[in-house]
Amino acid sequence: EVLLVESGGGLVQAGGSLRLSCAASGFTFDDYAIAWFRQAPSKEREGVLCISERDVHMYYRNSVNSVKGRFTISRDNAKRTVYLQMNSLKPEDTAIYYCAAQIRDPYGNSCPFLAPDFWGQGAQVTVSS
């Protein structure tokens, strides 16, 4: 069974930090790009950051201006886990954060992706002002 399990969400004051984790199982983790998406209330889901199977990091176009310099992504293949470090959080970062996985692109263009093979169930992040 394929599982992507997010953890680390919660309530934080503006200016604070959170680190989300995405623990994967049931597939060959090293062969997959992993991305974080988020969906704020009454808004469409948007991509945030993607990390390829080769550890290349890419921002998604729609959110790069809002998160660059504050959010970073990393992966630990030995732990089959991807992390989203979120610093200097703002109320507009409030959303459900999802991790997603897509099999690597054979031409090396694994990130960013929009049609994941697998989704996690999401983790709520709430930033109070």
Side-chain angles (χ1 to χ4, degrees):
E1 180 187 12
V2 170
L3 286 176
L4 290 171
V5 180
E6 300 94 337
S7 61
L11 174 64
V12 64
Q13 287 189 329
S17 297
L18 283 174
R19 188 178 78 158
L20 300 181
S21 300
C22 172
S25 60
F27 60 96
T28 308
F29 184 77
D30 294 10
D31 287 342
Y32 279 74
I34 308 291
W36 287 96
F37 292 77
R38 67 182 181 182
Q39 187 166 20
S42 304
K43 293 189 177 180
E44 291 188 355
R45 184 155 50 188
E46 65 176 2
V48 179
L49 265 167
C50 181
I51 185 166
S52 76
E53 73 286 355
R54 297 182 297 162
D55 209 23
V56 174
H57 308 178
M58 290 192 70
Y59 290 92
Y60 281 78
R61 184 183 307 166
N62 288 350
S63 59
V64 59
N65 290 334
S66 63
V67 304
K68 192 171 185 179
R70 301 189 298 121
F71 290 15
T72 57
I73 192 170
S74 61
R75 65 189 293 159
D76 184 333
N77 286 349
K79 295 183 178 180
R80 301 175 59 88
T81 299
V82 170
Y83 304 97
L84 182 68
Q85 179 67 44
M86 304 184 293
N87 299 326
S88 302
L89 283 161
K90 304 175 181 180
E92 51 263 43
D93 295 317
T94 295
I96 300 175
Y97 284 72
Y98 300 89
C99 66
Q102 182 171 285
I103 187 70
R104 62 182 173 84
D105 181 270
Y107 302 102
N109 300 317
S110 297
C111 281
F113 59 81
L114 294 175
D117 297 312
F118 312 120
W119 286 98
Q121 84 289 350
Q124 178 69 49
V125 171
T126 303
V127 184
S128 63
S129 58

PDB file of all heavy atoms in Angstrom, residues 85-106:
ATOM      1  N   GLN A  85      10.613  23.100   5.362  1.00  0.00           N
ATOM      2  CA  GLN A  85      10.920  24.032   6.434  1.00  0.00           C
ATOM      3  C   GLN A  85      10.305  25.375   6.094  1.00  0.00           C
ATOM      4  O   GLN A  85      10.595  25.943   5.038  1.00  0.00           O
ATOM      5  CB  GLN A  85      12.441  24.177   6.595  1.00  0.00           C
ATOM      6  CG  GLN A  85      12.860  25.151   7.675  1.00  0.00           C
ATOM      7  CD  GLN A  85      12.490  24.687   9.071  1.00  0.00           C
ATOM      8  OE1 GLN A  85      12.682  23.520   9.413  1.00  0.00           O
ATOM      9  NE2 GLN A  85      11.965  25.586   9.880  1.00  0.00           N
ATOM     10  N   MET A  86       9.474  25.862   6.981  1.00  0.00           N
ATOM     11  CA  MET A  86       8.752  27.116   6.749  1.00  0.00           C
ATOM     12  C   MET A  86       9.130  28.110   7.835  1.00  0.00           C
ATOM     13  O   MET A  86       8.864  27.861   9.023  1.00  0.00           O
ATOM     14  CB  MET A  86       7.241  26.868   6.759  1.00  0.00           C
ATOM     15  CG  MET A  86       6.807  25.803   5.756  1.00  0.00           C
ATOM     16  SD  MET A  86       5.022  25.592   5.689  1.00  0.00           S
ATOM     17  CE  MET A  86       4.695  24.914   7.315  1.00  0.00           C
ATOM     18  N   ASN A  87       9.761  29.185   7.430  1.00  0.00           N
ATOM     19  CA  ASN A  87      10.188  30.228   8.367  1.00  0.00           C
ATOM     20  C   ASN A  87       9.439  31.522   8.084  1.00  0.00           C
ATOM     21  O   ASN A  87       8.860  31.703   7.018  1.00  0.00           O
ATOM     22  CB  ASN A  87      11.695  30.458   8.239  1.00  0.00           C
ATOM     23  CG  ASN A  87      12.515  29.229   8.562  1.00  0.00           C
ATOM     24  OD1 ASN A  87      12.153  28.416   9.422  1.00  0.00           O
ATOM     25  ND2 ASN A  87      13.646  29.068   7.878  1.00  0.00           N
ATOM     26  N   SER A  88       9.490  32.414   9.044  1.00  0.00           N
ATOM     27  CA  SER A  88       8.846  33.729   8.901  1.00  0.00           C
ATOM     28  C   SER A  88       7.419  33.579   8.390  1.00  0.00           C
ATOM     29  O   SER A  88       7.005  34.257   7.441  1.00  0.00           O
ATOM     30  CB  SER A  88       9.663  34.615   7.952  1.00  0.00           C
ATOM     31  OG  SER A  88      10.980  34.761   8.421  1.00  0.00           O
ATOM     32  N   LEU A  89       6.682  32.718   9.015  1.00  0.00           N
ATOM     33  CA  LEU A  89       5.336  32.416   8.549  1.00  0.00           C
ATOM     34  C   LEU A  89       4.418  33.619   8.640  1.00  0.00           C
ATOM     35  O   LEU A  89       4.541  34.452   9.551  1.00  0.00           O
ATOM     36  CB  LEU A  89       4.763  31.239   9.332  1.00  0.00           C
ATOM     37  CG  LEU A  89       5.305  29.877   8.883  1.00  0.00           C
ATOM     38  CD1 LEU A  89       5.089  28.825   9.954  1.00  0.00           C
ATOM     39  CD2 LEU A  89       4.638  29.458   7.582  1.00  0.00           C
ATOM     40  N   LYS A  90       3.507  33.688   7.682  1.00  0.00           N
ATOM     41  CA  LYS A  90       2.554  34.773   7.587  1.00  0.00           C
ATOM     42  C   LYS A  90       1.138  34.203   7.636  1.00  0.00           C
ATOM     43  O   LYS A  90       0.921  33.038   7.269  1.00  0.00           O
ATOM     44  CB  LYS A  90       2.744  35.519   6.267  1.00  0.00           C
ATOM     45  CG  LYS A  90       4.147  36.042   6.037  1.00  0.00           C
ATOM     46  CD  LYS A  90       4.278  36.669   4.654  1.00  0.00           C
ATOM     47  CE  LYS A  90       5.691  37.169   4.401  1.00  0.00           C
ATOM     48  NZ  LYS A  90       5.828  37.775   3.047  1.00  0.00           N
ATOM     49  N   PRO A  91       0.174  35.014   8.029  1.00  0.00           N
ATOM     50  CA  PRO A  91      -1.219  34.515   8.039  1.00  0.00           C
ATOM     51  C   PRO A  91      -1.661  33.973   6.680  1.00  0.00           C
ATOM     52  O   PRO A  91      -2.435  33.012   6.622  1.00  0.00           O
ATOM     53  CB  PRO A  91      -2.020  35.749   8.452  1.00  0.00           C
ATOM     54  CG  PRO A  91      -1.071  36.526   9.320  1.00  0.00           C
ATOM     55  CD  PRO A  91       0.272  36.339   8.671  1.00  0.00           C
ATOM     56  N   GLU A  92      -1.152  34.538   5.618  1.00  0.00           N
ATOM     57  CA  GLU A  92      -1.548  34.052   4.286  1.00  0.00           C
ATOM     58  C   GLU A  92      -0.942  32.698   3.937  1.00  0.00           C
ATOM     59  O   GLU A  92      -1.273  32.117   2.896  1.00  0.00           O
ATOM     60  CB  GLU A  92      -1.178  35.077   3.202  1.00  0.00           C
ATOM     61  CG  GLU A  92       0.253  35.560   3.251  1.00  0.00           C
ATOM     62  CD  GLU A  92       0.386  36.886   3.996  1.00  0.00           C
ATOM     63  OE1 GLU A  92      -0.250  37.042   5.070  1.00  0.00           O
ATOM     64  OE2 GLU A  92       1.160  37.752   3.518  1.00  0.00           O
ATOM     65  N   ASP A  93      -0.081  32.176   4.784  1.00  0.00           N
ATOM     66  CA  ASP A  93       0.429  30.813   4.601  1.00  0.00           C
ATOM     67  C   ASP A  93      -0.534  29.770   5.168  1.00  0.00           C
ATOM     68  O   ASP A  93      -0.313  28.565   4.999  1.00  0.00           O
ATOM     69  CB  ASP A  93       1.793  30.638   5.280  1.00  0.00           C
ATOM     70  CG  ASP A  93       2.876  31.484   4.649  1.00  0.00           C
ATOM     71  OD1 ASP A  93       2.935  31.542   3.399  1.00  0.00           O
ATOM     72  OD2 ASP A  93       3.671  32.090   5.402  1.00  0.00           O
ATOM     73  N   THR A  94      -1.572  30.230   5.840  1.00  0.00           N
ATOM     74  CA  THR A  94      -2.563  29.319   6.394  1.00  0.00           C
ATOM     75  C   THR A  94      -3.198  28.500   5.288  1.00  0.00           C
ATOM     76  O   THR A  94      -3.730  29.052   4.314  1.00  0.00           O
ATOM     77  CB  THR A  94      -3.640  30.098   7.160  1.00  0.00           C
ATOM     78  OG1 THR A  94      -3.042  30.725   8.307  1.00  0.00           O
ATOM     79  CG2 THR A  94      -4.764  29.170   7.610  1.00  0.00           C
ATOM     80  N   ALA A  95      -3.125  27.188   5.420  1.00  0.00           N
ATOM     81  CA  ALA A  95      -3.623  26.290   4.377  1.00  0.00           C
ATOM     82  C   ALA A  95      -3.500  24.847   4.851  1.00  0.00           C
ATOM     83  O   ALA A  95      -2.847  24.573   5.870  1.00  0.00           O
ATOM     84  CB  ALA A  95      -2.835  26.464   3.084  1.00  0.00           C
ATOM     85  N   ILE A  96      -4.094  23.964   4.100  1.00  0.00           N
ATOM     86  CA  ILE A  96      -3.788  22.540   4.248  1.00  0.00           C
ATOM     87  C   ILE A  96      -2.624  22.248   3.311  1.00  0.00           C
ATOM     88  O   ILE A  96      -2.686  22.577   2.120  1.00  0.00           O
ATOM     89  CB  ILE A  96      -4.995  21.653   3.918  1.00  0.00           C
ATOM     90  CG1 ILE A  96      -6.158  21.977   4.842  1.00  0.00           C
ATOM     91  CG2 ILE A  96      -4.606  20.175   4.046  1.00  0.00           C
ATOM     92  CD1 ILE A  96      -7.436  21.237   4.501  1.00  0.00           C
ATOM     93  N   TYR A  97      -1.592  21.642   3.844  1.00  0.00           N
ATOM     94  CA  TYR A  97      -0.393  21.344   3.072  1.00  0.00           C
ATOM     95  C   TYR A  97      -0.373  19.852   2.748  1.00  0.00           C
ATOM     96  O   TYR A  97      -0.521  19.006   3.634  1.00  0.00           O
ATOM     97  CB  TYR A  97       0.859  21.741   3.840  1.00  0.00           C
ATOM     98  CG  TYR A  97       1.101  23.238   3.835  1.00  0.00           C
ATOM     99  CD1 TYR A  97       0.297  24.096   4.584  1.00  0.00           C
ATOM    100  CD2 TYR A  97       2.102  23.798   3.058  1.00  0.00           C
ATOM    101  CE1 TYR A  97       0.489  25.470   4.554  1.00  0.00           C
ATOM    102  CE2 TYR A  97       2.312  25.172   3.024  1.00  0.00           C
ATOM    103  CZ  TYR A  97       1.493  25.998   3.783  1.00  0.00           C
ATOM    104  OH  TYR A  97       1.694  27.356   3.748  1.00  0.00           O
ATOM    105  N   TYR A  98      -0.189  19.564   1.476  1.00  0.00           N
ATOM    106  CA  TYR A  98      -0.176  18.185   0.993  1.00  0.00           C
ATOM    107  C   TYR A  98       1.192  17.865   0.394  1.00  0.00           C
ATOM    108  O   TYR A  98       1.772  18.699  -0.321  1.00  0.00           O
ATOM    109  CB  TYR A  98      -1.214  17.993  -0.107  1.00  0.00           C
ATOM    110  CG  TYR A  98      -2.633  18.265   0.276  1.00  0.00           C
ATOM    111  CD1 TYR A  98      -3.178  19.547   0.155  1.00  0.00           C
ATOM    112  CD2 TYR A  98      -3.460  17.249   0.742  1.00  0.00           C
ATOM    113  CE1 TYR A  98      -4.484  19.810   0.505  1.00  0.00           C
ATOM    114  CE2 TYR A  98      -4.782  17.497   1.082  1.00  0.00           C
ATOM    115  CZ  TYR A  98      -5.287  18.779   0.955  1.00  0.00           C
ATOM    116  OH  TYR A  98      -6.595  19.020   1.294  1.00  0.00           O
ATOM    117  N   CYS A  99       1.666  16.665   0.639  1.00  0.00           N
ATOM    118  CA  CYS A  99       2.809  16.213  -0.136  1.00  0.00           C
ATOM    119  C   CYS A  99       2.298  15.258  -1.221  1.00  0.00           C
ATOM    120  O   CYS A  99       1.232  14.644  -1.085  1.00  0.00           O
ATOM    121  CB  CYS A  99       3.885  15.559   0.716  1.00  0.00           C
ATOM    122  SG  CYS A  99       3.450  14.013   1.502  1.00  0.00           S
ATOM    123  N   ALA A 100       3.058  15.186  -2.285  1.00  0.00           N
ATOM    124  CA  ALA A 100       2.663  14.381  -3.432  1.00  0.00           C
ATOM    125  C   ALA A 100       3.915  13.814  -4.091  1.00  0.00           C
ATOM    126  O   ALA A 100       4.998  14.396  -3.986  1.00  0.00           O
ATOM    127  CB  ALA A 100       1.876  15.229  -4.416  1.00  0.00           C
ATOM    128  N   ALA A 101       3.748  12.711  -4.782  1.00  0.00           N
ATOM    129  CA  ALA A 101       4.881  12.034  -5.400  1.00  0.00           C
ATOM    130  C   ALA A 101       4.583  11.715  -6.858  1.00  0.00           C
ATOM    131  O   ALA A 101       3.460  11.346  -7.217  1.00  0.00           O
ATOM    132  CB  ALA A 101       5.194  10.742  -4.648  1.00  0.00           C
ATOM    133  N   GLN A 102       5.602  11.873  -7.682  1.00  0.00           N
ATOM    134  CA  GLN A 102       5.489  11.499  -9.089  1.00  0.00           C
ATOM    135  C   GLN A 102       6.763  10.790  -9.517  1.00  0.00           C
ATOM    136  O   GLN A 102       7.866  11.237  -9.191  1.00  0.00           O
ATOM    137  CB  GLN A 102       5.264  12.732  -9.959  1.00  0.00           C
ATOM    138  CG  GLN A 102       5.090  12.383 -11.433  1.00  0.00           C
ATOM    139  CD  GLN A 102       4.657  13.574 -12.248  1.00  0.00           C
ATOM    140  OE1 GLN A 102       3.513  13.987 -12.201  1.00  0.00           O
ATOM    141  NE2 GLN A 102       5.585  14.137 -13.000  1.00  0.00           N
ATOM    142  N   ILE A 103       6.602   9.737 -10.283  1.00  0.00           N
ATOM    143  CA  ILE A 103       7.757   8.979 -10.768  1.00  0.00           C
ATOM    144  C   ILE A 103       8.670   9.899 -11.565  1.00  0.00           C
ATOM    145  O   ILE A 103       8.207  10.825 -12.238  1.00  0.00           O
ATOM    146  CB  ILE A 103       7.295   7.793 -11.636  1.00  0.00           C
ATOM    147  CG1 ILE A 103       8.479   6.890 -12.014  1.00  0.00           C
ATOM    148  CG2 ILE A 103       6.573   8.281 -12.877  1.00  0.00           C
ATOM    149  CD1 ILE A 103       9.040   6.096 -10.857  1.00  0.00           C
ATOM    150  N   ARG A 104       9.945   9.685 -11.461  1.00  0.00           N
ATOM    151  CA  ARG A 104      10.921  10.544 -12.121  1.00  0.00           C
ATOM    152  C   ARG A 104      10.684  10.613 -13.629  1.00  0.00           C
ATOM    153  O   ARG A 104      10.233   9.652 -14.245  1.00  0.00           O
ATOM    154  CB  ARG A 104      12.341  10.032 -11.839  1.00  0.00           C
ATOM    155  CG  ARG A 104      12.598   8.628 -12.364  1.00  0.00           C
ATOM    156  CD  ARG A 104      14.024   8.193 -11.984  1.00  0.00           C
ATOM    157  NE  ARG A 104      14.249   6.805 -12.322  1.00  0.00           N
ATOM    158  CZ  ARG A 104      14.617   6.384 -13.523  1.00  0.00           C
ATOM    159  NH1 ARG A 104      14.811   7.256 -14.481  1.00  0.00           N
ATOM    160  NH2 ARG A 104      14.813   5.099 -13.753  1.00  0.00           N
ATOM    161  N   ASP A 105      11.011  11.768 -14.169  1.00  0.00           N
ATOM    162  CA  ASP A 105      10.897  11.974 -15.610  1.00  0.00           C
ATOM    163  C   ASP A 105      12.113  11.348 -16.308  1.00  0.00           C
ATOM    164  O   ASP A 105      13.236  11.608 -15.896  1.00  0.00           O
ATOM    165  CB  ASP A 105      10.828  13.469 -15.909  1.00  0.00           C
ATOM    166  CG  ASP A 105      10.680  13.762 -17.377  1.00  0.00           C
ATOM    167  OD1 ASP A 105      11.715  13.902 -18.061  1.00  0.00           O
ATOM    168  OD2 ASP A 105       9.534  13.851 -17.838  1.00  0.00           O
ATOM    169  N   PRO A 106      11.905  10.563 -17.338  1.00  0.00           N
ATOM    170  CA  PRO A 106      13.054   9.914 -17.984  1.00  0.00           C
ATOM    171  C   PRO A 106      14.021  10.890 -18.630  1.00  0.00           C
ATOM    172  O   PRO A 106      15.172  10.537 -18.897  1.00  0.00           O
ATOM    173  CB  PRO A 106      12.405   8.998 -19.023  1.00  0.00           C
ATOM    174  CG  PRO A 106      11.053   9.562 -19.244  1.00  0.00           C
ATOM    175  CD  PRO A 106      10.636  10.180 -17.939  1.00  0.00           C
TER     176      PRO A 106
END
